[in-house]
Amino acid sequence: MPVSTPLAHRAQRLRAFNRFYTRRIGVLQERLLATDFTLPESRLLWELAHHDGITAAQLARDLDLDPGYLSRLLRRLKERQLIRSERSPADGRETLLTLSPAGREAFAPVDQSSQQASAALLARLPETQQQRLLQAMQTIEELLDAPADTAPVVLRSHRPGDIGWVISRHGALYAQEYGWNSEFEALVAHIAARFLEQFDPAREACWIADRAGQPLGCVFLVQARDEDTQAPQPGTAQLRLLLVEPSARGLGLGKRLVAECTRFARAAGYRRIRLWTQSTLSAARSLYKAEGYRLVATEPHRSFGADLVGENWELVL
């Protein structure tokens, strides 16, 4: 009898999920989405529709298909005059595959049916659960697609204990790198506490950049509010508390975190994102500028034990 180990139990869980998901999306049917194509044939049509000339060797490599099996699939599609081949102008030894006009006509309803089926799955869920599902799918994709010897960095939503880490790391890093005093940590604690108290998952989010359980960065997107009355400002989101650990800088995490805010804000229906930063934070300012933010106002002030120039930036969505 096989010895039960944690890895064996997890493998059983993964297999159970695979059985659930393949059944749920209908790939066990002989024909995909009530079309005339099998799942492998449909995937080949998709690849050919999205690549203007690709070799059989590239397809085999990208899809991890046995070359002999791929050859049989391609032959069936050629017999139906759905694909055509021609010599590569760059290398006469290679044959480039493309969809024929008939192939594009045949692929269109397959693509439309797949889009409708996916939309129907999502439509059953409220907005917050759709966001959770998409984040979980992104996590699965990043973890399983990473090189075996490299732990990937995933962006996940906050969990119990994360907000305390956000406050602690902001206080420690800004004291170390800029000499800011405890007033800044107090401000971060105030912002973070307000986030938890007012959290609306349909309109707000926190992302933690995580590598194998170790937080490496964070960012928040919240409903913008009047600082005095706390009244929501319609159509406006606010990016807050962007941080990347020194050990993780240079990996593009800051760019990913800022871009995730933009994606979420658009999906939530915001018309603009605003943020407040300081002129001395050159790395963050470069990220905002690259994302399309523009500087709209500046104001000198003394805060956190330092003379600073505050900057207001805005991104129109």
Side-chain angles (χ1 to χ4, degrees):
M1 182 175 181
V3 178
S4 178
T5 65
L7 180 60
H9 176 68
R10 292 167 191 155
Q12 291 175 353
R13 292 285 303 275
L14 179 60
R15 293 173 63 195
F17 173 78
N18 290 341
R19 292 192 296 271
F20 159 77
Y21 193 62
T22 51
R23 175 182 59 81
R24 194 68 186 83
I25 63 176
V27 300
L28 299 179
Q29 303 299 322
E30 183 177 2
R31 300 292 173 178
L32 183 67
L33 300 171
T35 69
D36 292 332
F37 300 101
T38 64
L39 176 61
E41 290 170 342
S42 299
R43 180 57 189 272
L44 280 177
L45 291 175
W46 190 95
E47 292 292 335
L48 292 169
H50 291 82
H51 293 89
D52 188 18
I54 187 170
T55 67
Q58 288 174 299
L59 283 171
R61 183 171 57 253
D62 293 347
L63 300 179
D64 196 20
L65 285 177
D66 175 75
Y69 176 54
L70 174 61
S71 179
R72 293 192 295 274
L73 290 173
L74 292 173
R75 185 169 61 249
R76 290 204 295 267
L77 294 176
K78 286 181 180 179
E79 289 171 352
R80 298 169 67 177
Q81 299 184 337
L82 300 180
I83 63 176
R84 58 189 180 189
S85 58
E86 59 183 17
R87 291 295 177 185
S88 168
D91 187 344
R93 297 170 298 177
E94 292 187 336
T95 300
L96 300 181
L97 303 171
T98 58
L99 283 184
S100 67
R104 294 192 177 278
E105 184 177 350
F107 172 69
V110 178
D111 192 39
Q112 183 178 12
S113 295
S114 179
Q115 177 73 13
Q116 291 172 346
S118 297
L121 278 177
L122 289 171
R124 299 172 55 252
L125 305 173
E127 173 68 23
T128 55
Q129 292 184 14
Q130 290 184 29
Q131 294 292 341
R132 286 181 58 199
L133 175 64
L134 295 176
Q135 287 183 358
M137 293 172 70
Q138 179 184 349
T139 299
I140 291 172
E141 197 172 333
E142 291 177 341
L143 286 170
L144 294 184
D145 202 37
D149 59 348
T150 303
V153 179
V154 298
L155 304 186
R156 60 168 176 81
S157 57
H158 64 288
R159 300 192 294 234
D162 284 331
I163 302 304
W165 174 85
V166 169
I167 297 168
S168 173
R169 293 309 294 153
H170 271 81
L173 279 179
Y174 280 85
Q176 174 185 329
E177 297 184 348
Y178 299 99
W180 293 2
N181 62 24
S182 60
E183 293 175 11
F184 178 66
E185 189 170 354
L187 174 63
V188 174
H190 180 68
I191 293 170
R194 184 179 293 171
F195 170 78
L196 291 177
E197 293 166 354
Q198 301 176 334
F199 181 48
D200 177 359
R203 307 281 292 167
E204 300 178 316
C206 164
W207 292 273
I208 302 294
D210 183 302
R211 174 190 279 154
Q214 178 184 1
L216 296 178
C218 63
V219 74
F220 291 65
L221 189 86
V222 299
Q223 167 69 61
R225 297 175 181 273
D226 183 275
E227 289 296 329
D228 296 323
T229 67
Q230 285 300 292
Q233 298 184 343
T236 303
Q238 186 169 7
L239 186 155
R240 312 202 79 164
L241 303 182
L242 173 66
L243 177 142
V244 176
E245 287 281 3
S247 62
R249 292 171 187 169
L251 302 178
L253 288 187
K255 180 179 180 180
R256 286 176 62 190
L257 289 165
V258 171
E260 192 66 14
C261 288
T262 305
R263 182 201 62 78
F264 182 91
R266 287 198 173 105
Y270 286 110
R271 297 192 298 273
R272 66 185 63 83
I273 306 174
R274 76 180 192 196
L275 63 86
W276 182 62
T277 190
Q278 310 303 318
S279 62
T280 53
L281 306 182
S282 57
R285 294 174 78 257
S286 296
L287 290 172
Y288 303 142
K289 187 175 181 180
E291 185 68 8
Y293 285 81
R294 64 184 184 90
L295 179 63
V296 295
T298 62
E299 182 180 5
H301 64 104
R302 180 160 183 88
S303 302
F304 323 134
D307 292 319
L308 303 169
V309 177
E311 297 181 344
N312 294 310
W313 293 67
E314 185 174 282
L315 174 66
V316 177
L317 301 173

